[in-house]
Each structure stands twice: as C-alpha cells, then as structure tokens.
Amino acid sequence: MKVRFILNNREVEVDVDPREILLDTLRYRFGLKSVKRGCERGECGTCTVLINDKPVYSCMVLTVQVEGQRITTVEGLVNDDLFKKIIVSFAEKGAIQCGFCTPGFILTAYALYRIKDKPSIEDILKALEGNLCRCTGYKKIVDALTSIRS
Amino acid sequence: MFYVLPRFNYYRPNSLDEVLKLINELENYKILAGGTDLLIDMRIKRYTPRNIVDINRINELQYIREDNEYIRIGSLTRLQDIIESNIIREKLPLLYNAVYNMASWQIRNRATIGGNLCNASPAADTAPPLMVYNAKLVVSSINGSREISILDFFKGPRETDLRNNELLVEIKIPKPHIHGYSYRKIGRRNAFTLSIVAIATYVEIENNIFRDVRIALNSVAPKPVRAWSVEEYLKNKRIDREEIYKASELVVKDISPISDVRASADYRRKLSIILIRETLFEASKITG
Ligand SMILES: Cc1cc2nc3c(=O)[nH]c(=O)nc-3n(C[C@H](O)[C@H](O)[C@H](O)COP(=O)(O)OP(=O)(O)OC[C@H]3O[C@@H](n4cnc5c(N)ncnc54)[C@H](O)[C@@H]3O)c2cc1C
C-alpha cells in the first residue's frame, strides 16, 4: 500500500504492507537510526517521534496511518535553534550516559518547549513520564531542561 | 523485527456511515482507534483479526461538547485532548484526574476514551469516574443507535455489551450537581503505571448529611465496579468519622480481587478499604 507523508520536511512515498510499523519504516527504509527500538510495547519511550509536532511512540503506529502527516525525528532538527539549545544543555549538564534513550528525551523535551517556553518543574516531569532512562536517574536530564527555561 | 504483527486487511473509511456498513459486513474484524491496546494485543497474538477497520479519519467522532443536560465526548477523542479541555477540568474533575494519571504523554496523544472503554480491561482508568457520573454510552450500527448505561456495559475482562456490528460513538455524561469528590490511583510507581486500585468518590452533601454517595473502583474485580454496599450504608446518614470507618469495611462485599503481577488479592482488599475512607474524608472535607 502506497503511503505519502512529510518526513523531516521532505515529501516521501513508501510502499508498505499494512502491518509495518512506523519504527521499522523509519529505521530500515530511511536509515534514521536515532529512532531506537526498545520495548516495542509503548513502555520505554526510546522510539518517540513527533507526528504533527506531538510526541508519539513509533512502535505503536502503523506506517499506513501516517498518510499526509508530518513526521519529525532528531535528524530533521539539526539546524533548529531550540533543538540546539536542548542538546547543548544535555551535554553541559551531563544528562547523557549510554545515550540510548537520548533521542526520545530530546524530542519529547523539544515538543514541550514548543508549546511552553517556561515550563514548571512539574510540567517537565509530567512531559517526560513516558521516557525511561536507566543510567542517569533523571536528575541531570531535569537539570538540563530547567537550565534553558527562558 | 522482534515482534511482527500478524497479517490483516486494512480498511480506512472516511465517514461514520462507511464504518457502520463495513463492520456490518466484515467478519473477524477489529476497530483500530489509538491502537495502544490493540496493536500490542496483536503482537502478542492475543488477537489475530483478519480485518482492521481504522477509524482515525472519522473526525466527527472527536469532540467535547456541553449542552444543558449533558457533557458529550466523541468516542475517538484523544486522552490528551480530554485533559486539555476546560469543560472537563471544571465540570468533570474526577475524569480529569483519572485521565491526567493515565499512561504517558506519547500514549495520551493517540489513545482514545472509546478505546479505553471498549477494551474493557478491569484496570481501565476512565471507568471509575464515568461510573460515578452515571455516564451513558451511545452505540450505533446500520440499524440505528441505542444507549447503554456504563453500569451495564462491562461484562467481564475484555467483554462488553457491544454487539458485533456496533460502534461506540459517544460518551454522554449527565451534568453533575454540586458535589464533593476525591480520586486516587495506586500503582507500582507514581507515574506511567497501571493501577493496583483506582477509586473515584463522589458525594452530595446537604446539612451535613450524605444525600448521595457514589464510589467506583477498578482492578479489584473482573470489571470496574461500584461500591454499592458502602454507598447504601452511608446514604442519608450524617457525616461522621466512625460511620465512614464502618462503611469502608463493607467494600469487601462489592469486590472480588485476584492476585496478579501487580499486587496480591489481600493487599487490594486492604487498600480498597483504606482508599474508600481517605477519599470519603477528602470528598466530605473532614479530616480522618
Ligand atoms: C505503556 C502503556 C500504559 C498504559 N497506561 C494505562 C493507564 O494508566 N490506564 C489505563 O486505563 N490504560 C492504560 N493503557 C492502555 C491503553 O492505552 C488505553 O486503554 C487506551 O485508552 C486505549 O485506547 P486506544 O484508542 O489506543 O484503543 P485501541 O487499542 O485502538 O482499541 C482498544 C479496543 O477497543 C476497540 N475499540 C476502540 N474504539 C472503539 C469504538 N469506538 N467502538 C468499538 N470498539 C472500539 C478496539 O477494537 C480494541 O479492541 C496503557 C497502555 C500502554 C501500552
């Protein structure tokens, strides 16, 4: 089945079986390896992508469902100012260890800062509920994100 | 690919009429709303439907509206839209609280209220608030529509009163009178977790007397339940600490918890009693 959508600001078309999930399409057809395969059941957050600017788990979306939608991964944000601010804060605060959860956290944080430029700590914790990190213990991630509140 | 979904035929109707026609004709189909329950169930092969009917294009099922008597929520309304709605936050605070504590942002951006109800998990978190609000569910088929009280909708784990050719289209909530309320969800951690017990407590008080008491719990029976024994005991009694203590013990008649990966039956029973007490104290604004 043919599916057309906007991927990182570029119009793309793929021909997929209806059972293919967005996570596999992004990794295998487009080589977007920032989109990590974790639990594959919506519990870890490392496969987070943005659909029309909202964070969702790409393991729980069929590729045929994104017809006409706008998908964003970190590869599509490398020239974005807000994105740069967030990754610099992660680096400066040591909010990264193994890095496996990082793209997911960055995208969720990016989505949050797009709708709120001065989120409260509670807003930040609430937004990040669905991204698990098994190394840093969240403290440094939250430190990074509070450091950039304008 | 670690988990591969089983093969299926994919249908993507553009209108409610088309959906109803399709589900009247198709055998062995599943409706796909947010997919946050269904796709996982398909991956673990709990369900292997031959046909999938994706209702995500049916915008006419996504709304939150208020009229004189009811607040109406379209079945395809996303959980995130529910907590971002002023109508829900102001008029249906128990539903707001329950949905606020469900899953995660990523899941709430896709998961729907209709999916949570039709999946009919004993742990469905939208059920307790909707059960104390005495919500009605509007379901449609090509033959027309009917209303089911949410109190009759759940039949058991993953079983509902829906007939094979019916779609849940609307959740219709009578506007509550002035009331006290309290909500608690206890899970294995504070956020992003399924409930061990969740409870919604609603009281109408007049001259220090309980005029109405409604309590619903999930995860303590094969389906979400009302605590009828506690409610009956307290109705028309004066608000009193001792009476609330006595009443809370009665909940064991209304529930039949099992032990599972999240908690033991015994723990759930004790927790139910304590939560009934705490929420009644909070809802009636007295200190325990
Ligand atoms: C990690 C994780 C955490 C979760 N946390 C919670 C939680 O805290 N609390 C909680 O209650 N749930 C939780 N869930 C479960 C799930 O997200 C919710 O039940 C959600 O609301 C389901 O909605 P959906 O739109 O995704 O349903 P779907 O998966 O699309 O559908 C679920 C079922 O309902 C049927 N269906 C859907 N819509 C209709 C309709 N309009 N008419 C008839 N049948 C229909 C489908 O055919 C399917 O059988 C969690 C799930 C995951 C993966």
Side-chain angles (χ1 to χ4, degrees), chain A residues 62 65, chain B residues 6-13 19 22-35 37-43 45-56 115 117-121 157-160 162-167:
Chain A
L62 300 175
Q65 294 187 283
Chain B
R7 279 183 201 286
F8 51 83
N9 303 315
Y10 177 73
Y11 297 87
R12 188 167 55 199
V19 176
L22 262 173
I23 65 174
N24 195 59
E25 286 158 14
L26 289 173
E27 279 171 34
N28 195 349
Y29 76 88
K30 279 276 179 191
I31 297 285
L32 174 65
D37 278 315
L38 181 63
L39 294 178
I40 289 175
D41 282 338
M42 287 171 62
R43 245 175 236 165
K45 314 274 192 296
R46 175 181 276 150
Y47 299 129
T48 50
R50 200 166 334 124
N51 301 297
I52 289 290
V53 179
D54 181 351
I55 59 171
N56 283 280
L117 295 171
C118 292
N119 193 57
S121 158
R158 298 173 182 280
E159 277 174 49
T160 69
L162 275 179
R163 296 179 195 137
N164 196 44
N165 65 346
E166 285 178 331
L167 185 80

Side-chain angles (χ1 to χ4, degrees), chain A residues 19 40 57 59 64 126 131, chain B residues 5 12 43 100 104 106:
Chain A
R19 67 178 168 159
E40 278 190 277
Y57 298 141
C59 73
V64 290
K126 185 72 192 158
N131 291 86
Chain B
L5 287 169
R12 188 167 55 199
R43 245 175 236 165
Y100 184 87
S104 64
Q106 288 93 329

Side-chain angles (χ1 to χ4, degrees), chain B:
Chain B
M1 284 190 237
F2 293 5
Y3 297 100
V4 184
L5 287 169
R7 279 183 201 286
F8 51 83
N9 303 315
Y10 177 73
Y11 297 87
R12 188 167 55 199
N14 286 306
S15 71
L16 181 55
D17 282 348
E18 252 183 84
V19 176
L20 299 181
K21 272 194 207 120
L22 262 173
I23 65 174
N24 195 59
E25 286 158 14
L26 289 173
E27 279 171 34
N28 195 349
Y29 76 88
K30 279 276 179 191
I31 297 285
L32 174 65
T36 63
D37 278 315
L38 181 63
L39 294 178
I40 289 175
D41 282 338
M42 287 171 62
R43 245 175 236 165
I44 63 171
K45 314 274 192 296
R46 175 181 276 150
Y47 299 129
T48 50
R50 200 166 334 124
N51 301 297
I52 289 290
V53 179
D54 181 351
I55 59 171
N56 283 280
R57 293 245 170 126
I58 318 300
N59 294 332
E60 59 197 293
L61 295 178
Q62 277 193 58
Y63 55 84
I64 299 171
R65 280 187 215 127
E66 183 182 3
D67 57 35
N68 287 337
E69 270 180 274
Y70 295 102
I71 291 162
R72 298 166 186 271
I73 306 175
S75 61
L76 193 67
T77 305
R78 312 285 165 186
L79 298 180
Q80 189 64 23
D81 293 330
I82 290 182
I83 55 178
E84 288 174 8
S85 151
N86 288 332
I87 298 179
I88 304 292
R89 208 179 44 235
E90 286 160 21
K91 309 267 164 73
L92 303 173
L94 286 167
L95 182 62
Y96 170 80
N97 271 300
V99 178
Y100 184 87
N101 287 296
M102 281 174 76
S104 64
W105 190 14
Q106 288 93 329
I107 289 190
R108 289 191 305 272
N109 278 332
R110 290 201 72 83
T112 65
I113 186 167
N116 189 242
L117 295 171
C118 292
N119 193 57
S121 158
D125 280 330
T126 64
L130 293 173
M131 288 172 81
V132 301
Y133 291 136
N134 291 327
K136 293 171 191 166
L137 306 182
V138 182
V139 306
S140 295
S141 72
I142 52 158
N143 306 319
S145 295
R146 65 183 178 117
E147 276 186 24
I148 311 171
S149 161
I150 189 164
L151 302 175
D152 303 323
F153 184 69
F154 302 112
K155 295 296 177 202
R158 298 173 182 280
E159 277 174 49
T160 69
D161 193 44
L162 275 179
R163 296 179 195 137
N164 196 44
N165 65 346
E166 285 178 331
L167 185 80
L168 172 61
V169 296
E170 184 177 88
I171 296 94
K172 191 172 147 192
I173 302 142
K175 284 178 155 177
H177 302 136
I178 293 177
H179 64 279
Y181 64 90
S182 175
Y183 179 81
R184 292 269 199 294
K185 170 175 172 173
I186 307 294
R188 306 231 317 178
R189 55 186 181 197
N190 286 339
F192 196 17
T193 190
L194 292 178
S195 54
I196 290 173
V197 180
I199 177 168
T201 293
Y202 170 112
V203 297
E204 286 176 26
I205 294 170
E206 207 182 274
N207 300 325
N208 229 23
I209 288 174
F210 284 121
R211 282 300 171 217
D212 200 356
V213 179
R214 303 182 208 157
I215 301 168
L217 306 102
N218 71 15
S219 307
V220 289
K223 53 188 183 177
V225 290
R226 286 275 291 266
W228 299 112
S229 314
V230 183
E231 298 181 13
E232 281 314 311
Y233 184 88
L234 286 175
K235 243 178 251 175
N236 297 318
K237 285 216 168 66
R238 292 188 73 76
I239 301 180
D240 174 76
R241 217 177 147 268
E242 292 309 313
E243 293 289 16
I244 290 176
Y245 264 81
K246 265 190 219 156
S248 66
E249 308 270 347
L250 299 176
V251 71
V252 297
K253 295 188 189 172
D254 302 315
I255 64 179
S256 48
I258 55 165
S259 299
D260 66 10
V261 289
R262 277 171 282 146
S264 69
D266 197 43
Y267 180 72
R268 285 192 158 100
R269 244 183 314 266
K270 288 181 176 139
L271 200 56
S272 301
I273 295 171
I274 293 167
L275 290 173
I276 291 212
R277 236 179 256 165
E278 278 188 5
T279 55
L280 278 168
F281 288 143
E282 184 175 287
S284 50
K285 300 198 169 57
I286 64 171
T287 45

